Amino acid sequence: MTQTAAPSDSAARPRERRQRVQAAETGMAVLKALARLGGRASLTALATEVDEQPSKVHRYLVSMIEAGIVVQDSGSGHYRLGLEALYIGLAAMRQADPIRVAEPALVRLREQLGVTCFIAVMGNKGPTIVRFEEPGLPVTVNVRVGSVMSLLWSATGRVFLGLQDDAQVRRLALEELDGADAASRAALDAHDPLGALQREVRAAGCSIVIDTNLKGISAISAPIFNHAGQVCGALTALGTTGGFDAAAQGPIAIALLAEARAASRELGYQPARAA
């Protein structure tokens, strides 16, 4: 009688490794689904989110509970992120530097589009440039690292004014408005200058100015959000009016917004899910 030979150790090991990898991938999918659902969800909701059977998802949740990554509420039976998950998140947040994350985008924008671009963060005196890149044929502008941008008339400043709900930002904007000359004030809404700018930026998701802050210069600025949904930086591209495509659906705006969104995702930002 012929006997079937048992699988050799060398043949079994790759199969076991594949199984472990698949198990790890499924476990990570369940954990990420729990995070997407706000950090707390029922077994049914989790199973639906990852498109797996509840019994299978439950097995992974049991392992995560044993590891302290997930906790099950005794009352509702819902699952939520545990203490170990919090430690992992805190470690990631400590590395979440908007300047470091967005810096490679400056090089890509400069090389792909040939535009001058920079990153700005909110400082004590207003939006302040912290990184600056320019192409081989730079645009002559009097802004560099350390320059403070106007909250009312620069694309960069309007991003912070429009999307950062902060008392300091409003105070600085009002001070700037009070000190502006009549010609500059005439370019703003007469009845609600700050509110009109805020609504415009919120509707567009970015800010575009043409000959507003600097004559002969156009600029587009996009917000960078942190894990809490707060504006932590602005990514701005600028160029000479006439040679710079400032259209909201133009290639510069599209590329700039894509880079800002990618940086925001790396910082842990998750846009609100549609109801």
Side-chain angles (χ1 to χ4, degrees):
M1 182 176 179
T2 304
Q3 293 184 341
T4 303
S8 65
D9 289 344
S10 59
R13 279 196 293 270
R15 185 168 61 251
E16 291 173 358
R17 282 196 295 269
R18 286 195 299 272
Q19 289 172 345
R20 288 198 296 270
V21 169
Q22 289 171 354
E25 290 175 347
T26 303
M28 288 301 101
V30 172
L31 189 59
K32 288 190 286 187
L34 183 55
R36 287 197 301 273
L37 293 171
R40 181 188 297 268
S42 67
L43 176 60
T44 301
L46 277 170
T48 301
E49 184 74 12
V50 297
D51 194 23
E52 294 282 3
Q53 291 295 320
S55 58
K56 182 177 181 178
V57 173
H58 180 261
R59 291 198 299 271
Y60 285 94
L61 289 170
V62 169
S63 297
M64 292 180 196
I65 290 172
E66 292 174 354
I69 296 175
V70 170
V71 174
Q72 185 177 20
D73 288 338
S74 57
S76 66
H78 287 191
Y79 297 89
R80 59 180 173 82
L81 295 174
L83 190 59
E84 292 299 326
L86 174 63
Y87 291 152
I88 294 170
L90 289 173
M93 285 168 57
R94 282 193 288 270
Q95 300 178 45
D97 176 4
I99 301 170
R100 177 189 62 80
V101 167
E103 211 165 15
L106 297 182
V107 177
R108 288 191 291 269
L109 290 169
R110 181 199 66 194
E111 293 180 349
Q112 294 172 10
L113 300 172
V115 296
T116 298
C117 47
F118 59 81
I119 303 166
V121 298
M122 193 65 194
N124 292 334
K125 296 182 179 179
T128 305
I129 297 176
V130 291
R131 293 289 188 275
F132 193 94
E133 287 284 343
E134 52 190 355
L137 295 174
V139 178
T140 303
V141 290
N142 60 343
V143 292
R144 285 293 183 270
V145 171
S147 296
V148 178
M149 307 301 291
S150 164
L151 279 165
L152 300 179
W153 288 282
S154 75
T156 304
R158 288 181 178 183
V159 162
F160 286 99
L161 177 63
L163 300 171
Q164 183 169 325
D165 188 12
D166 185 89
Q168 180 197 8
V169 172
R170 183 172 179 81
R171 177 181 60 79
L172 290 171
L174 288 172
E175 289 176 359
E176 190 176 340
L177 183 63
D178 289 341
D181 57 36
S184 297
R185 292 173 69 99
L188 302 177
D189 185 273
H191 302 291
D192 186 14
L194 268 60
L197 289 177
Q198 290 171 331
R199 291 188 291 273
E200 179 182 314
V201 172
R202 290 170 185 172
C206 66
S207 177
I208 299 174
V209 300
I210 300 174
D211 297 334
T212 301
N213 189 48
L214 298 169
K215 294 300 181 184
I217 299 295
S218 296
I220 306 173
S221 187
I224 299 172
F225 296 98
N226 63 16
H227 70 282
Q230 301 165 332
V231 178
C232 60
L235 188 58
T236 303
L238 59 84
T240 305
T241 300
F244 180 89
D245 187 350
Q249 299 301 319
I252 296 176
I254 291 172
L256 190 75
L257 281 163
E259 292 286 3
R261 289 175 186 137
S264 299
R265 284 194 301 272
E266 193 167 341
L267 291 171
Y269 173 64
Q270 293 182 320
R273 293 165 64 95

